[in-house]
């Protein structure tokens, strides 16, 4: 997949494009359906499949830093879009000047002149431009003027509710990562570099852990989780703790991962953690022995969960897990 930062770089280079537009936070199953339809129409009409998205997220520019955390940062979002068979993704810089542009000017300048739009596919609730006046009805009118078709897809429903980034965010923040899985079409993932920790896991408790310096914004609720630890393209069964380690009186949030049956030194490596299921909430234990016993029980339960077919079916793009 080719990633372009400025749509003007593509002016007079595309033979014609079928485009979909959105923020695609999470690239969930609703987004995937939108991209799949765009790809299908592009092939049917002999066009190039183009995804147009924005960075930073428009809410971060218009509202400020106090927006909810985002499900995917740009690098992961692009990776997920690339897996959908997209030929070109345009990451357009979102500014207040762009937000103030009228829908008509945006369509003519960028979709028509730069990207040679011949077909446009949008979601059921998509709107853009100054005052969010760029809705389906206006796009259909502009399409008739400039020679492109417009198709609007309905919402994707799961358990009688619309699949949305907000719904997924709420589930993850509540620790309901198993329930978020079918909405994402994958496990929820966080990424981080392994850094030096307090070395309690191995020396004090007998369960060595990789301590992660995270780069993502959205974290599951504190507690213990059965996870897959992705290391250099391979996944390994693991148990992760997100929290403050109340037994030790910590005040800083930490993410520690115990990779099962694994002894390599991971310091300095980047791990991706696929959250499968929450095992329990964070607890304060009265003694180290009580904590050791409970960690052993967590590991046993984690093994059972990760051995299930449901825990493995959402890992199609990397090597099969080692058990």
């Amino acid at each position: 997949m080719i990633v372009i930062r400025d749509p003007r770089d593509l002016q007079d280079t595309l033979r014609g494009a079928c485009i979909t537009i959105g923020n695609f936070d999470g690239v969930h199953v609703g987004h995937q359906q939108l991209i799949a339809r765009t790809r299908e129409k592009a092939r049917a009409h002999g066009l190039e499949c183009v995804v147009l998205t924005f960075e930073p997220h428009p809410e971060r520019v218009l509202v400020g830093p106090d927006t909810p955390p985002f499900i995917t940062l740009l690098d992961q979002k692009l990776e997920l879009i690339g897996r959908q068979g997209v030929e070109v993704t345009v990451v357009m810089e979102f500014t207040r000047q762009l937000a103030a542009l009228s829908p008509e000017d945006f369509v003519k300048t960028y979709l028509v002149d730069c990207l040679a739009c011949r077909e446009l596919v949008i979601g059921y609730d998509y709107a853009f431009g100054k005052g969010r006046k760029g809705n389906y009805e206006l796009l259909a009118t502009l399409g008739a003027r400039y020679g492109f078709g417009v198709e609007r897809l309905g919402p994707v429903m799961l358990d009688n509710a619309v699949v949305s980034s907000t719904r997924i965010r709420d589930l993850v923040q509540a620790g309901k990562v198993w329930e978020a899985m079918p909405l994402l079409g994958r496990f929820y993932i966080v990424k981080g570099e392994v850094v030096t920790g307090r070395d309690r896991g191995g020396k004090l408790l007998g369960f060595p852990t990789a301590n992660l310096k995270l780069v993502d914004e959205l974290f599951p609720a504190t507690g213990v989780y059965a996870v897959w630890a992705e290391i250099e393209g391979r996944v390994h069964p693991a148990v992760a703790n997100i929290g403050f380690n109340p037994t030790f009186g910590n005040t800083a949030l930490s993410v520690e991962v115990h990779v099962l049956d694994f002894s390599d030194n991971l310091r300095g490596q980047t791990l991706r953690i696929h959250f499968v299921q929450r095992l329990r909430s964070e607890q304060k234990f009265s003694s180290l022995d009580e904590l050791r016993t409970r960690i052993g029980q967590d590991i046993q339960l984690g093994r059972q969960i990760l051995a299930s077919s449901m825990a493995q079916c959402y890992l199609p793009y990397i090597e099969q897990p080692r058990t």
Side-chain angles (χ1 to χ4, degrees):
M1 181 180 74
I2 299 172
V3 178
I4 302 295
R5 296 287 178 163
D6 188 336
R8 289 169 293 191
D9 293 340
L10 291 173
Q11 191 163 3
D12 300 325
T13 64
L14 298 177
R15 63 180 182 273
C18 183
I19 303 171
T20 188
I21 310 176
N23 297 312
F24 302 108
D25 185 28
V27 195
H28 55 61
V29 293
H31 298 144
Q32 292 168 30
Q33 185 178 97
L34 195 64
I35 294 171
R37 178 58 179 156
T38 305
R39 187 181 66 242
E40 178 186 15
K41 292 193 76 168
R43 290 175 178 172
H45 293 278
L47 304 171
E48 291 174 275
C49 178
V50 177
V51 169
L52 175 59
T53 190
F54 304 95
E55 180 69 16
H57 192 289
E59 286 188 13
R60 192 58 53 85
V61 174
L62 299 176
V63 177
D66 295 329
T67 56
F70 296 121
I71 301 169
T72 47
L73 299 184
L74 182 61
D75 60 342
Q76 188 186 14
K77 182 166 73 171
L78 290 175
E79 178 186 348
L80 293 166
I81 290 173
R83 286 189 212 146
Q84 306 304 312
V86 173
E87 296 170 300
V88 179
T89 293
V90 178
V91 182
M92 199 169 177
E93 182 183 9
F94 192 86
T95 62
R96 288 187 175 274
Q97 290 76 21
L98 183 65
L101 202 63
S102 71
E104 293 88 346
D105 287 343
F106 179 86
V107 167
K108 178 64 169 62
T109 301
Y110 296 110
L111 298 189
V112 176
D113 293 346
C114 294
L115 300 179
C117 182
R118 299 291 179 268
E119 296 288 338
L120 180 66
V121 182
I122 61 172
Y124 72 100
D125 59 348
Y126 183 72
F128 71 101
K130 186 177 182 179
R132 293 182 61 80
K133 294 180 180 178
N135 55 21
Y136 169 73
E137 289 73 21
L138 180 57
L139 283 170
T141 298
L142 294 174
R145 181 187 305 170
Y146 293 116
F148 62 85
V150 183
E151 180 178 359
R152 177 173 59 180
L153 300 189
V156 174
M157 307 290 291
L158 189 64
D159 297 330
N160 298 315
V162 175
V163 174
S164 69
S165 299
T166 299
R167 184 180 171 193
I168 292 167
R169 185 181 300 110
D170 291 345
L171 287 170
V172 171
Q173 289 182 316
K176 298 179 179 180
V177 291
W178 184 265
E179 291 85 344
M181 175 177 59
L183 282 70
L184 286 165
R186 58 180 176 86
F187 296 117
Y188 181 67
I189 300 170
V190 300
K191 181 173 69 172
E193 180 187 355
V194 179
V195 296
T196 302
R198 292 181 172 86
D199 207 18
R200 292 174 181 150
K203 290 184 178 179
L204 198 60
L205 299 172
F207 300 100
T209 58
N211 297 268
L212 299 188
K213 179 182 179 181
L214 296 174
V215 298
D216 299 276
E217 294 190 1
L218 178 65
F219 307 121
T222 59
V224 179
Y225 293 81
V227 304
W228 294 112
E230 182 183 345
I231 306 166
E232 297 182 337
R234 293 184 64 90
V235 288
H236 304 258
V239 172
N241 180 81
I242 297 182
F244 298 90
N245 291 308
T247 303
F248 297 99
N250 290 356
T251 58
L253 182 71
S254 65
V255 178
E256 300 174 74
V257 183
H258 174 61
V259 185
L260 307 185
D261 310 316
F262 189 88
S263 58
D264 293 356
N265 187 349
L266 295 173
R267 189 173 292 115
Q269 293 195 46
T270 297
L271 270 61
R272 299 210 302 182
I273 307 303
H274 304 244
F275 284 84
V276 179
Q277 189 167 345
R278 192 171 190 240
L279 304 180
R280 62 173 173 86
S281 60
E282 190 173 40
Q283 297 173 246
K284 183 175 181 178
F285 295 93
S286 59
S287 68
L288 291 181
D289 285 340
E290 185 181 1
L291 176 56
R292 287 191 196 98
T293 298
R294 189 53 191 266
I295 293 174
Q297 294 170 349
D298 294 337
I299 290 172
Q300 183 177 6
L301 179 57
R303 286 188 190 275
Q304 293 174 358
I305 291 170
L306 296 172
S308 70
S309 58
M310 278 296 294
Q312 299 185 20
C313 68
Y314 280 96
L315 296 172
Y317 65 95
I318 49 182
E319 292 188 38
Q320 290 300 306
R322 296 198 306 191
T323 57

